[in-house]
Amino acid sequence: MSCLSLALLAALPGLGAAQERPAAEATVETAQVQEPIGRVLVTGRRRIQVGPVPGLALSRDQVPAHLQSASQDELRQSRSLNIGDFMNSQMQGVSINDYAGNPFQLDVNFRGFTASPQVGTPQGLSVFFDGVRVNEPFGDVVNWDLIPMNALERFDLFPGSNPLFGLNTLGGALALRSRSGFSAPGVEADLSRGSFGRRELRVSAGQHDEDLGAFVALTHFDEDGWRDHSPSRVTQAFGRLDWHGERGSLTSSLLAADSTLIGNGLLPMALAEAQPRSVFSAPDQAHNTVIQLGLSGQYDLDDWRNLTAQAYWRRSRRSGLNGDIYEGFDDFDIEHDAIPDPSDPRIPIPRNGANDAFGDGPGVIAGTPNGLLTRTGLSQTVTGLALQFNSNTRPHAFMVGASIDRARTTYAMSQRLGLLSPTRQVLGAAQAIDGQYYAASHDIVGNDFAGRSTTVSLFASDSWTLWPGLSLSAAARYNRATVDNRLAVRASSANVALHELRTGSAPLQGYLQGRTITEESFRYSSLNPSLGVNWQALPRLHVFGNLSRGARAPSVVELGCAFDPTPVLRNPDNPALGKTARSLVGPGCNLPTTLSGDPYLPQIRSLSGELGARGTLGAGWEWNLSAFRTDLQDDLYFVGVGDGRSYFDTIGRTRRQGAEMGLSGRVGAWQLSANYSYTRASFESEFYTLSPRNSSADFDQNSRSGDDRYLEGQTGLPTPGATLNRGYGTYRMIHVMPGAEMPGIPRHGLNLQLRWQATAALQLGLALQARSGVFVRGNENNRHQGSGSDQETGQYYCSLTSCPAEGYQQAPVNPGRPFTEPGRLPGYALLNLDARWQWRQGVSLFLQVRNLLDRRYASAGRLGINPFTDGTHGVQGPSGWNYNSADWRPSTLVAPGAPRQIQLGITIDWGGTG
């Protein structure tokens, strides 16, 4: 292999899984070759790989967007636990929500779109590792714990609806590239220990000769967690082999990871302020594994043109065990959920004291279930093949390609009733629960799902240099997706609450055996184009703009939990009861546990635009400024449709728009970076959604739809709300109007970094992360207030035959529970400190302090209910559970941020040249 060829390999480390060796013109702008042969120094501006599959390499000035990138040195020096953690601290337009309460289970938001490991969260970002899409088929989720940081050569964050990255690229795409033996020779090791029992080891090694290169990376992370009962463990391994010939290259890679994560979720606001380390309910455990095999190659047709191909196989598994409060306790009735009064067996004592005659009973502790255990199992296998032709020529640099991806998914869920321990762990304590509750001693199967999907794509891109300093870019992608699902779920006749499964009761076997099997097939196709322009207006000023279309097909979760408005008889045995929507007589949907066979949902379409500029202010100083907007049509959301149920349904239009700006540079021994972003994510269509913990909800029982209000032969006094919400009523619903802001997305974000090279061996750094306040989930209408109560208005009813003579009667209701907490969280600012001391050649020590001032803050939240209250009537059990639900309190549940954390470590770097 020639010296120049080796120079090109070193200049483009991690050009992707396929190769390290594209044509010289597409790779470097300047190169200096130093003797002896085998040692090469390359300088120049790195080329950008456009699209998931490598082969077409453009300069940054040919990409008509505000592209953000990170190198392996930046990733390593940040000491970030995962990609989301790094993006939040370093990049513009990024924020996080820690709903799960675990550093590896973050919702990562970019420009108002999300990549999340939580099933049911609407996803809008695509993530690729060496050209393999790691958004899992079931819900498009991204498991950050399965991506090893020390295996990454770099990553590029592409904004907007870039069609080259395929389905789900509504708001952006993240392209991760791995290291190789050519780009990362030598041995690196990071060993650290920190607060809350945190221990981490990262080791990597690379080696190469002229033709062969090998690289391996290992990571092990273990911690006790700063929250009670929240240990986590992550193990990751990556290996890669490369062969470079005169006209081609081959790469094979293996990724394997295994993790056990405990995320104890949200806390009532008052509890989070007093005891942020406590747990609301536990366990919340996820066990994830992945094995991914990749094979790719490049064949050079000449110095400018090449063919690239990639094949992969990926299998991931997730098992979950979740312990939650059993909110069905609020629906206990006095007829069945009661015990005889010891002094008079004819008088029942309700287990829920709210069911007493005046709603002021103490309730019953012994034998009463108050916890819910949910077990889930998910297996996903994905295979794919891609072929691409690339021409790195002038004036046209273009590529055309095709890909096919197939996925198989199985999912199963079961639940049982349990008891909350004094530490609020949900235990399966069948012997301690009254024997009438069948679900306390038996797992109740909720879902059994199997699905297949196939996506076929054709794509092309062209960057046309009209003259030096001005280029046009055009791209298009055609996708055709097929989804085939088989679901076995509880039939509508068996869709009862778990506490209603009574041991020895006549209908029990019917409930247990009543299952519905649904087979469904969906087809989606889309043609998504993009157009962009780059103009070097002045030597130090570059202007760009782009317009693009994107699409996202509904995920399995969304299709399985979609609202079906088809009119059907409420009870086929009694047609007099009339008709209602099919979903309202079928199984309900309680994410992520319950799916159903439901109708077609249209795919989401996006239209994205961006205008921006970047440049330099002098030696060592760079700046950027951009404005963006993305509009979605037929966006999906979890909305209320009456009868206390919610489903995924189209809500019309949503919008994300904003601006980003940055400045970075160096003055002597000081280095400064400042990044600011403004993001406004809003609903742009009117809709209703179920939110009974929102103070602005409709608490009038007469606002139910006509089908839900009355028994046969009755009538009443419906409110105007009974005819709204497409006729499904507005009881316990909130009304979301155009312009309302989406929960969890801060308008303002600021990242500041200051670094000082104090001596040749000592470097100090100080960083500020600031985010403005956010609305919480459940407050989609932005109208919740910490005042008023959820006092309901009882239903008015009377018999059709006696109404004129006797008048209307009103159903009794419990006293209202006061709202005392807001529906919006305040902003926060955190200071982080780091230091690195070069002890000797190849060995350094580092210190990292996160949340230096030990600020208390919350990144996200939702409106909920708190049953662990003192109250005035109900008796409290060992866990603090109040056995009179009238004493429960509506609460804002928040995701408390981690307190001050200190980490010390040693870094070893034994470089090599092969």
Side-chain angles (χ1 to χ4, degrees):
M1 181 177 291
S2 69
C3 201
L4 178 59
S5 297
L6 191 57
L8 299 179
L9 292 174
L12 265 184
L15 244 191
Q19 71 283 328
E20 304 287 339
R21 192 181 79 73
E25 180 67 15
T27 307
V28 295
E29 295 179 5
T30 61
Q32 300 172 355
V33 181
Q34 301 179 341
E35 298 294 342
I37 294 176
R39 292 187 61 85
V40 181
L41 172 64
V42 178
T43 64
R45 301 173 67 181
R46 180 178 66 80
R47 294 279 170 153
I48 307 299
Q49 290 295 316
V50 179
V53 180
L56 180 66
L58 304 177
S59 70
R60 186 183 181 189
D61 291 342
Q62 291 176 290
V63 179
H66 175 39
L67 176 72
Q68 301 184 73
S69 303
S71 67
Q72 62 173 309
D73 289 338
E74 292 170 320
L75 292 169
R76 190 181 187 194
Q77 291 174 11
S78 73
R79 315 293 176 193
S80 299
L81 285 178
N82 51 63
I83 290 296
D85 183 26
F86 177 87
M87 292 173 62
N88 183 51
S89 64
Q90 306 286 328
M91 294 191 157
Q92 298 170 23
V94 177
S95 63
I96 61 168
N97 305 128
D98 190 11
Y99 289 105
N102 187 288
F104 286 94
Q105 294 177 301
L106 303 173
D107 283 14
V108 179
N109 309 306
F110 172 60
R111 292 189 173 182
F113 292 92
T114 303
S116 167
Q118 307 302 323
V119 175
T121 299
Q123 311 282 340
L125 302 175
S126 294
V127 182
F128 293 85
F129 181 61
D130 278 344
V132 179
R133 190 169 183 264
V134 298
N135 297 75
E136 305 289 1
F138 192 80
D140 279 329
V141 301
V142 179
N143 294 311
W144 305 111
D145 53 303
L146 304 182
I147 303 175
M149 290 289 287
N150 62 337
L152 299 181
E153 178 73 21
R154 73 173 191 274
F155 74 80
D156 299 307
L157 178 57
F158 293 83
S161 304
N162 191 321
L164 294 181
F165 289 94
L167 293 175
N168 198 46
T169 309
L170 300 178
L174 186 59
L176 312 173
R177 307 290 182 185
S178 68
R179 305 166 75 184
S180 73
F182 290 95
S183 67
V187 177
E188 296 177 359
D190 292 352
L191 176 64
S192 64
R193 298 202 61 155
S195 305
F196 313 113
R198 177 170 293 184
R199 301 166 292 276
E200 185 173 19
L201 172 65
R202 296 181 182 181
V203 179
S204 64
Q207 181 72 17
H208 71 88
D209 58 23
E210 289 196 355
D211 299 317
L212 296 175
F215 176 81
V216 295
L218 299 172
T219 296
H220 181 76
F221 172 91
D222 194 4
E223 73 168 3
D224 299 330
W226 72 273
R227 299 272 300 273
D228 294 342
H229 314 294
S230 58
S232 290
R233 176 190 54 79
V234 178
T235 303
Q236 303 161 337
F238 176 78
R240 170 171 166 165
L241 293 174
D242 292 86
W243 170 80
H244 292 159
E246 289 298 323
R247 298 289 299 273
S249 62
L250 286 174
T251 293
S252 61
S253 64
L254 168 66
L255 168 66
D258 183 288
S259 70
T260 301
L261 306 177
I262 305 293
N264 286 326
L266 308 181
L267 286 175
M269 181 175 286
L271 182 60
E273 293 173 352
Q275 304 176 49
R277 300 188 184 189
S278 60
V279 174
F280 189 57
S281 64
D284 290 294
Q285 176 178 301
H287 180 207
N288 295 324
T289 63
V290 69
I291 297 178
Q292 177 179 306
L293 299 173
L295 178 64
S296 56
Q298 173 175 310
Y299 178 74
D300 295 329
L301 301 173
D302 54 35
D303 288 341
W304 314 104
R305 300 173 181 85
N306 61 68
L307 289 173
T308 54
Q310 175 174 276
Y312 71 90
W313 177 89
R314 176 183 174 90
R315 172 171 290 173
S316 63
R317 290 189 169 94
R318 169 183 283 194
S319 59
L321 176 62
N322 298 90
D324 300 292
I325 64 170
Y326 184 59
E327 292 195 43
F329 176 91
D330 200 13
D331 298 321
F332 278 10
D333 65 62
I334 194 170
E335 180 180 356
H336 299 97
D337 302 294
I339 64 171
D341 188 328
S343 61
D344 188 348
R346 295 171 301 176
I347 301 176
I349 299 177
R351 294 185 179 276
N352 181 354
N355 293 328
D356 208 345
F358 299 100
D360 58 358
V364 177
I365 296 178
T368 302
N370 56 7
L372 177 66
L373 282 171
T374 301
R375 297 182 185 272
T376 57
L378 175 63
S379 177
Q380 302 166 101
T381 303
V382 188
T383 57
L385 179 66
L387 181 65
Q388 188 170 300
F389 168 77
N390 310 284
S391 177
N392 292 288
T393 58
R394 296 287 181 91
H396 290 277
F398 69 91
M399 62 90 161
V400 294
S403 66
I404 182 171
D405 300 272
R406 298 179 181 273
R408 293 183 300 168
T409 304
T410 59
Y411 173 79
M413 181 278 294
S414 64
Q415 294 179 305
R416 71 161 56 197
L417 295 174
L419 290 178
L420 284 158
S421 73
T423 58
R424 296 183 183 173
Q425 301 280 318
V426 180
L427 307 176
Q431 299 300 319
I433 298 177
D434 193 306
Q436 70 159 315
Y437 296 107
Y438 181 87
S441 56
H442 299 80
D443 289 327
I444 307 302
V445 178
N447 299 308
D448 188 355
F449 166 85
R452 295 174 181 265
S453 65
T454 301
T455 302
V456 178
S457 301
L458 302 174
F459 49 89
S461 173
D462 182 25
S463 181
W464 179 19
T465 303
L466 298 174
W467 59 77
L470 182 64
S471 64
L472 293 177
S473 299
R477 186 182 188 102
Y478 173 77
N479 299 305
R480 181 171 179 82
T482 302
V483 182
D484 298 297
N485 295 335
R486 181 185 184 276
L487 300 98
V489 299
R490 294 170 66 183
S492 58
S493 60
N495 188 39
V496 298
L498 293 186
H499 67 271
E500 295 181 33
L501 299 175
R502 317 270 181 195
T503 302
S505 65
L508 176 62
Q509 290 305 312
Y511 291 153
L512 298 177
Q513 298 173 7
R515 297 180 65 78
T516 298
I517 297 177
T518 303
E519 296 185 359
E520 50 193 13
S521 183
F522 306 99
R523 304 290 183 270
Y524 297 95
S525 61
S526 62
L527 177 62
N528 303 314
S530 69
L531 184 66
V533 61
N534 291 277
W535 178 35
Q536 191 73 43
L538 296 171
R540 292 185 175 182
L541 175 63
H542 184 91
V543 181
F544 59 85
N546 68 74
L547 192 66
S548 59
R549 289 273 287 174
R552 179 170 80 83
S555 68
V556 167
V557 170
E558 291 162 338
L559 288 170
C561 198
F563 178 66
D564 186 353
T566 305
V568 297
L569 291 173
R570 292 178 60 85
N571 186 344
D573 298 328
N574 191 352
L577 293 179
K579 296 182 177 182
T580 190
R582 185 190 301 275
S583 288
L584 297 185
V585 298
C589 196
N590 181 20
L591 287 175
T593 57
T594 307
L595 300 177
S596 60
D598 281 311
Y600 175 89
L601 288 172
Q603 62 185 336
I604 304 170
R605 300 305 305 268
S606 66
L607 178 62
S608 180
E610 181 179 14
L611 289 173
R614 57 178 174 262
T616 59
L617 298 175
W621 286 89
E622 297 181 348
W623 63 271
N624 71 272
L625 176 66
S626 62
F628 64 89
R629 177 165 151 178
T630 300
D631 288 337
L632 299 189
Q633 185 66 41
D634 292 326
D635 203 356
L636 297 175
Y637 210 74
F638 204 50
V639 301
V641 291
D643 195 28
R645 300 190 185 197
S646 293
Y647 296 85
F648 279 108
D649 202 2
T650 56
I651 58 170
R653 294 175 291 111
T654 60
R655 173 173 296 162
R656 284 85 167 168
Q657 60 185 353
E660 297 165 350
M661 60 186 71
L663 176 68
S664 62
R666 180 188 296 271
V667 177
W670 297 88
Q671 194 173 358
L672 173 68
S673 173
N675 293 309
Y676 168 78
S677 60
Y678 171 83
T679 305
R680 192 176 194 280
S682 60
F683 302 104
E684 296 299 325
S685 293
E686 178 184 2
F687 67 96
Y688 289 86
T689 186
L690 184 69
S691 186
R693 314 306 179 194
N694 188 311
S695 65
S696 65
D698 185 349
F699 295 110
D700 194 328
Q701 295 179 0
N702 299 283
S703 293
R704 292 171 172 151
S705 69
D707 290 334
D708 296 331
R709 282 196 309 272
Y710 315 117
L711 299 175
E712 182 180 4
Q714 289 186 347
T715 186
L717 295 174
T719 68
T723 61
L724 300 178
N725 190 21
R726 296 175 294 178
Y728 300 118
T730 59
Y731 175 56
R732 293 189 173 183
M733 306 282 176
I734 59 173
H735 190 195
V736 182
M737 295 295 292
E741 292 189 43
M742 294 182 179
I745 307 297
R747 280 201 184 190
H748 305 280
L750 178 65
N751 288 336
L752 298 177
Q753 292 190 15
L754 181 65
R755 307 198 73 81
W756 177 38
Q757 192 69 46
T759 69
L762 177 62
Q763 185 182 80
L764 302 175
L766 188 66
L768 171 73
Q769 293 178 339
R771 302 291 185 268
S772 61
V774 297
F775 291 102
V776 301
R777 290 177 178 174
N779 192 22
E780 282 78 3
N781 64 347
N782 307 164
R783 294 178 56 198
H784 173 80
Q785 301 291 327
S787 60
S789 74
D790 63 357
Q791 179 63 63
E792 298 200 344
T793 300
Q795 176 180 315
Y796 292 100
Y797 65 94
C798 70
S799 170
L800 290 173
T801 58
S802 61
C803 194
E806 299 179 1
Y808 288 93
Q809 299 182 61
Q810 186 176 22
V813 295
N814 288 326
R817 298 171 290 198
F819 295 103
T820 59
E821 297 172 347
R824 181 180 174 88
L825 301 180
Y828 60 90
L830 305 176
L831 278 176
N832 300 321
L833 174 71
D834 68 88
R836 182 171 66 89
W837 177 51
Q838 188 77 31
W839 179 34
R840 59 178 61 182
Q841 182 67 32
V843 181
S844 60
L845 305 177
F846 67 86
L847 164 70
Q848 186 178 58
V849 183
R850 295 196 176 198
N851 193 0
L852 178 66
L853 302 181
D854 202 22
R855 297 289 190 187
R856 290 192 177 182
Y857 68 100
S859 62
R862 68 173 176 85
L863 300 179
I865 191 76
N866 181 13
F868 304 108
T869 57
D870 294 335
T872 57
H873 304 297
V875 63
Q876 282 189 286
S879 66
W881 180 278
N882 190 308
Y883 284 80
N884 184 318
S885 63
D887 285 341
W888 294 3
R889 290 293 177 261
S891 178
T892 301
L893 306 178
V894 302
R900 182 190 297 117
Q901 298 180 81
I902 301 174
Q903 190 167 1
L904 291 168
I906 184 171
T907 294
I908 299 173
D909 191 346
W910 295 323
T913 59

